[in-house]
Amino acid sequence: MNPKVSIIILNWNRWKDTIECLESIYQINYSNYDVILVDNSSTDNSIEKIKEYCKGKIKVQSKHIKYSHLNKPIKIFEYTEKELKTLKNRSDEYHRILSSKKITIIKNKQNYGFAGGNNVGIRFALNTDSQYILLLNNDTMVEPDFLTELIKAAKKYRNIGSIQSLLLKPDGKLIDSLGQEIHIWSAMDKGINSAYNPIRKDREIFGACAAAAVYPKEVLKNSGLFDENFFVIFEDVDLSWRIRLKGFKSVLAVNSIVYHKRGISESINQHKTSDLVEYHYNKNLLITMLKYYPLSHLFGIKNLNKTIFYLKKALLYSLKVKKTLELNKIILSNIWLRISMFNHPLLYEIQKEWII
């Protein structure tokens, strides 16, 4: 039997993309998985629409996936956050149903962002019999063997902390992500928007883009979950740093193909230049660098002005969105975290090897 994998999908006001993602999952060739859909307090009737899809009442309209009647209806197991707190074990009925014929829906009482929303699903999965936890954006579509290839890589490499699928744009011609790349002043997805040519061998990466990444359960128990102070943006980069600091490595599984629409799954709003997005971007970039980058880089003569620039931007947007007190608390707490890591034996080695 293949090891059990919990697939966590976070939905927020994008049910049409979510059911397209679900349709691709229910057609994979891996037989031992749980689908856990977490709804981040959607306001577009997402839960009802997703339930109608599960009952076979809504057909997925997709250029990329052929809709199948064979796995419908999909049995729904639905919980509120409050109900999760008292839930000890899933029913015998749940365990009797095939992976491709069931779904767990968790209804969050508010929008917790990408970090907090996924954490609700991860905490639930940590208390199941799954050996791996897969995070999958709702704006993705997967190849039938994507999970088989991910778990093959997870078994193949020692001391593994995360494994990322090779992410392509929906047309399959351009790369969306070959893994996280750590730059002097930021982090980005390696290869993004470059022409895609098939890659033969898996490769080590700094960390996994959480749009399609699998983590061994024990790794997450060791490294911790997403830092909910991030809310959205760079939360997976922060997790990758912590996984590295625990001595684990990450790998890109080049034969695991996932198509990523990118941008529609943001947990704030659909306007990339909104004040709230700018606040989280600058806040999260600043605290990531405070925690993990060389202090000589942040506060040296050459770079001090740029550090001050990002601090000013974070402060400016915190004022605009009325989160200045929150920002101050988060910065102070992360300064203390950095102080606690001064003597960490791996920090300098990771900085030297991975910061470009």
Side-chain angles (χ1 to χ4, degrees):
M1 177 70 72
N2 289 319
K4 173 72 73 68
V5 181
S6 285
I7 303 174
I8 297 171
I9 301 169
L10 182 67
N11 177 76
W12 185 69
N13 289 343
R14 286 286 183 171
W15 64 267
K16 288 183 180 179
D17 297 288
T18 297
I19 65 173
E20 186 177 27
C21 176
L22 288 171
E23 185 66 20
S24 70
I25 290 171
Y26 286 122
Q27 295 183 28
I28 64 176
N29 60 20
Y30 196 89
S31 61
N32 195 17
Y33 62 90
D34 289 332
V35 175
I36 301 169
L37 182 102
V38 181
D39 185 78
N40 236 355
S41 192
S42 293
T43 56
D44 68 341
N45 208 27
S46 274
I47 291 178
E48 290 307 312
K49 293 295 185 181
I50 292 166
K51 288 163 73 172
E52 286 181 29
Y53 157 76
C54 292
K55 295 172 184 176
K57 295 181 179 180
I58 296 179
K59 294 182 180 179
V60 173
Q61 305 297 321
S62 175
K63 297 178 182 178
H64 310 283
I65 305 160
K66 186 176 180 180
Y67 178 77
S68 174
H69 296 276
L70 299 178
N71 56 9
K72 312 299 184 307
I74 297 165
K75 178 69 176 178
I76 300 164
F77 296 83
E78 186 176 358
Y79 305 100
T80 63
E81 281 186 76
K82 185 177 181 181
E83 288 169 337
L84 283 185
K85 292 178 181 178
T86 57
L87 181 68
K88 295 183 179 179
N89 296 298
R90 286 188 278 192
S91 66
D92 291 338
E93 180 190 14
Y94 181 89
H95 294 289
R96 287 195 299 267
I97 301 173
L98 293 174
S99 295
S100 61
K101 300 282 286 183
K102 62 187 175 184
I103 187 170
T104 298
I105 296 177
I106 298 173
K107 299 180 292 185
N108 286 346
K109 62 184 178 182
Q110 66 186 74
N111 181 3
Y112 297 119
F114 187 88
N118 272 298
N119 278 353
V120 171
I122 295 171
R123 291 188 189 101
F124 177 77
L126 288 175
N127 291 313
T128 69
D129 59 346
S130 291
Q131 293 174 247
Y132 294 94
I133 293 174
L134 170 67
L135 301 183
L136 191 67
N137 273 21
N138 70 325
D139 59 350
T140 61
M141 298 161 289
V142 303
E143 286 285 352
D145 62 347
F146 98 104
L147 188 50
T148 299
E149 293 295 334
L150 277 178
I151 300 305
K152 187 187 296 183
K155 291 178 178 181
K156 180 178 178 181
Y157 301 103
R158 296 179 59 190
N159 207 33
I160 200 75
S162 65
I163 311 95
Q164 181 192 311
S165 297
L166 195 157
L167 290 163
L168 299 176
K169 301 296 185 182
D171 63 5
K173 296 178 180 179
L174 296 178
I175 293 168
D176 183 77
S177 177
L178 299 179
Q180 292 169 343
E181 194 170 61
I182 306 302
H183 288 226
I184 291 174
W185 286 104
S186 187
M188 64 182 297
D189 288 287
K190 188 176 179 67
I192 188 169
N193 295 323
S194 301
Y196 169 62
N197 293 305
I199 302 169
R200 293 184 179 181
K201 293 183 179 181
D202 295 345
R203 57 180 65 172
E204 186 175 1
I205 54 178
F206 173 78
C209 170
V214 70
Y215 305 84
K217 179 193 287 188
E218 296 307 314
V219 169
L220 291 178
K221 287 182 176 179
N222 196 338
S223 65
L225 312 187
F226 287 131
D227 181 345
E228 296 184 15
N229 283 327
F230 279 74
F231 194 78
V232 68
I233 306 171
F234 296 140
E235 66 292 302
D236 54 352
V237 175
D238 175 73
L239 178 58
S240 293
W241 272 101
R242 286 186 277 121
I243 286 172
R244 282 270 167 196
L245 288 167
K246 290 293 184 179
F248 300 104
K249 65 181 182 180
S250 297
V251 167
L252 175 71
V254 298
N255 293 318
S256 174
I257 304 296
V258 172
Y259 303 96
H260 187 202
K261 299 173 190 174
R262 186 175 285 267
I264 65 162
S265 61
E266 298 294 344
S267 296
I268 305 172
N269 56 38
Q270 309 312 316
H271 303 290
K272 292 288 189 174
T273 57
S274 75
D275 291 343
L276 193 54
V277 172
E278 288 288 345
Y279 165 68
H280 285 298
Y281 177 87
N282 288 285
K283 163 181 63 72
N284 295 349
L285 177 61
L286 185 64
I287 62 178
T288 300
M289 297 178 73
L290 281 172
K291 276 201 285 188
Y292 304 119
Y293 279 57
L295 296 182
S296 58
H297 167 71
L298 292 175
F299 302 110
I301 295 174
K302 292 182 179 180
N303 297 318
L304 182 58
N305 285 341
K306 201 155 189 178
T307 303
I308 292 171
F309 169 77
Y310 282 114
L311 178 60
K312 285 182 176 178
K313 283 195 74 176
L315 285 169
L316 171 64
Y317 285 104
S318 74
L319 287 168
K320 288 185 175 183
V321 298
K322 299 179 181 180
K323 290 182 178 291
T324 306
L325 181 60
E326 173 189 271
L327 176 66
N328 292 337
K329 288 180 178 179
I330 291 172
I331 289 176
L332 283 173
S333 66
N334 281 280
I335 288 173
W336 284 112
L337 281 172
R338 178 54 182 266
I339 291 171
S340 71
M341 290 193 293
F342 273 158
N343 297 318
H344 196 292
L346 293 179
L347 182 58
Y348 174 73
E349 292 179 20
I350 297 169
Q351 291 170 345
K352 186 177 180 180
E353 182 176 0
W354 290 102
I355 296 178
I356 300 173

